[in-house]
Amino acid sequence: MTEKLDSIDLTILRILQNDSKKTNKEIATALNLTISPVYERIKRLENDGYIKKYVAVLDKKLLNYPVTAICMVSLRYHNEGFIDKFEQQIKELPEVQECYHMAGKVDFFLKINMKSLDHYHDFVRLKLSNISNIGVLESYFVLKEIKQSTEYVI
Amino acid sequence: MTEKLDSIDLTILRILQNDSKKTNKEIATALNLTISPVYERIKRLENDGYIKKYVAVLDKKLLNYPVTAICMVSLRYHNEGFIDKFEQQIKELPEVQECYHMAGKVDFFLKINMKSLDHYHDFVRLKLSNISNIGVLESYFVLKEIKQSTEYVI
DNA sequence: GGTGAAACCTCGCTGTC
DNA sequence: GACAGCGAGGTTTCACC
């Protein structure tokens, strides 16, 4: 494991989290380096876990997933076992893109993408409701996506 | 612009949204095709906008951004001009990773990553508060990230 | 930790069916 | 729309600094 990242590492990460198709050559040029050190630093950043994965970001609208819901869930019981069980069940639902365990009145935030409100209705009725221990479930619908990114300000 | 995607297109998109480093050769093998059609389909999917970009997903914890907040904002005034102005100002804040205009009582959901609660405090005090027209601002903190993905169930 | 070059492989394209 | 095959260029490695 590495201890610290220097400014070259950070620049590489900044470039890759914006466009992972940049070649080592392009990155090397931007950094006034040769290809080899860039190659080796990227390998190190991958192996040390700084870079988790490389993904293609798709267009939700074109793929016909226009409905996004934010769902706030509160559990009925809060024992460790119940919480772990809930988390496990949520992980297995591919429709749930994001899920966070929260501090405060609401226990979980979920972000869910759907083809239509009917699909969302079915999802809540057939899948979410099958998860026991849900006390309160409130759905909010997205009117417009202002911003969606995976970048960090590093 | 293309009208419809066939099952080969969907398989390619499924593969790439999970791992964009897969080579055309690997994808071709998985699909029992040669490289050329895979190459041409991906080019088409990029040009038609189905694939928006390729990014590296970084590890928040290792980069020392352990604090994630969900922020719910309600505006004071809801004229078109005010809403557009607010959206514009949010877009310019790199700390805000996601922002959605919502239907209902709350106007906007924001997801924000920070190095510490102190940084979050400064962010709210110095940046968010500088945005006029914010009526109500409620912050919820993430205890644990259960799931975070950019994939769609296509 | 960087350089530069060699070996290898994939990409990106063209012609053909 | 898919196949075959090629030259260019990217990836990977290594000896050297």
Side-chain angles (χ1 to χ4, degrees):
Chain A
M1 278 293 159
T2 323
E3 311 76 31
K4 247 341 212 180
L5 302 178
D6 64 15
S7 73
I8 296 176
D9 290 326
L10 290 176
T11 305
I12 291 174
L13 290 176
R14 249 177 244 124
I15 292 171
L16 290 179
Q17 74 173 341
N18 179 256
D19 179 7
S20 62
K21 286 292 182 192
K22 283 256 158 68
T23 63
N24 292 344
K25 194 180 178 182
E26 289 174 300
I27 297 170
T29 305
L31 283 162
N32 273 82
L33 280 175
T34 52
I35 296 171
S36 307
V38 172
Y39 169 76
E40 274 153 24
R41 280 166 180 270
I42 292 175
K43 272 285 156 293
R44 197 191 69 231
L45 292 167
E46 288 170 1
N47 290 335
D48 290 354
Y50 290 96
I51 298 172
K52 290 203 288 187
K53 62 193 306 197
Y54 296 95
V55 304
V57 180
L58 308 186
D59 190 294
K60 184 159 53 183
K61 288 261 172 59
L62 284 178
L63 291 169
N64 203 25
Y65 278 78
V67 175
T68 303
I70 307 278
C71 200
M72 288 159 67
V73 173
S74 291
L75 301 186
R76 209 181 296 274
Y77 307 109
H78 292 80
N79 318 33
E80 188 192 345
F82 281 116
I83 291 180
D84 290 351
K85 179 105 184 289
F86 177 80
E87 293 181 1
Q88 198 47 53
Q89 288 174 302
I90 288 295
K91 273 188 198 165
E92 283 161 16
L93 296 177
E95 296 89 348
V96 178
Q97 238 192 10
E98 300 181 44
C99 175
Y100 306 99
H101 186 186
M102 307 303 294
K105 199 175 165 226
V106 171
D107 289 321
F108 292 92
F109 270 87
L110 278 61
K111 199 183 103 192
I112 297 156
N113 291 296
M114 286 284 148
K115 282 199 173 297
S116 70
L117 284 180
D118 278 351
H119 284 89
Y120 187 69
H121 177 230
D122 287 341
F123 173 76
V124 171
R125 201 166 50 93
L126 302 174
K127 294 209 177 177
L128 270 192
S129 305
N130 268 350
I131 297 181
S132 53
N133 194 25
I134 291 185
V136 185
L137 193 154
E138 266 185 291
S139 296
Y140 295 83
F141 291 98
V142 170
L143 288 177
K144 189 185 167 194
E145 184 183 302
I146 312 303
K147 187 177 202 171
Q148 185 173 14
S149 151
T150 54
E151 292 184 41
Y152 300 105
V153 193
I154 57 175
Chain B
M1 280 293 158
T2 324
E3 311 76 31
K4 247 346 217 172
L5 303 177
D6 64 18
S7 74
I8 295 176
D9 291 326
L10 290 176
T11 304
I12 290 173
L13 290 176
R14 248 178 245 124
I15 292 171
L16 290 178
Q17 74 172 340
N18 180 257
D19 179 6
S20 62
K21 286 291 181 193
K22 283 256 157 70
T23 62
N24 292 346
K25 194 180 178 180
E26 289 174 299
I27 298 170
T29 305
L31 282 162
N32 271 82
L33 280 174
T34 52
I35 296 172
S36 306
V38 172
Y39 167 76
E40 275 154 25
R41 280 166 181 271
I42 292 176
K43 271 284 157 292
R44 197 191 69 230
L45 292 167
E46 288 170 1
N47 291 334
D48 290 355
Y50 289 96
I51 298 172
K52 289 203 288 188
K53 62 191 307 196
Y54 296 95
V55 304
V57 181
L58 308 186
D59 189 294
K60 184 158 53 183
K61 287 260 172 62
L62 284 178
L63 290 168
N64 203 25
Y65 278 79
V67 176
T68 303
I70 306 280
C71 199
M72 289 160 66
V73 173
S74 291
L75 300 186
R76 211 182 293 275
Y77 307 109
H78 293 80
N79 318 33
E80 187 192 346
F82 282 115
I83 291 181
D84 291 352
K85 179 103 183 292
F86 177 81
E87 294 181 0
Q88 198 49 49
Q89 289 175 300
I90 288 295
K91 274 188 198 164
E92 283 161 16
L93 296 177
E95 295 90 348
V96 178
Q97 239 192 9
E98 300 181 44
C99 175
Y100 305 98
H101 187 188
M102 307 302 295
K105 197 174 165 229
V106 170
D107 288 323
F108 292 92
F109 271 88
L110 277 61
K111 197 182 104 191
I112 297 157
N113 290 296
M114 287 284 150
K115 281 199 174 297
S116 69
L117 282 179
D118 279 351
H119 284 90
Y120 186 69
H121 176 229
D122 288 340
F123 173 76
V124 170
R125 200 166 49 92
L126 302 173
K127 295 208 175 179
L128 270 192
S129 304
N130 267 349
I131 297 181
S132 53
N133 194 25
I134 291 186
V136 185
L137 192 153
E138 267 186 290
S139 296
Y140 295 83
F141 291 99
V142 170
L143 288 178
K144 188 184 168 196
E145 185 184 301
I146 312 303
K147 186 177 202 172
Q148 185 173 12
S149 150
T150 54
E151 292 183 39
Y152 301 104
V153 193
I154 56 175

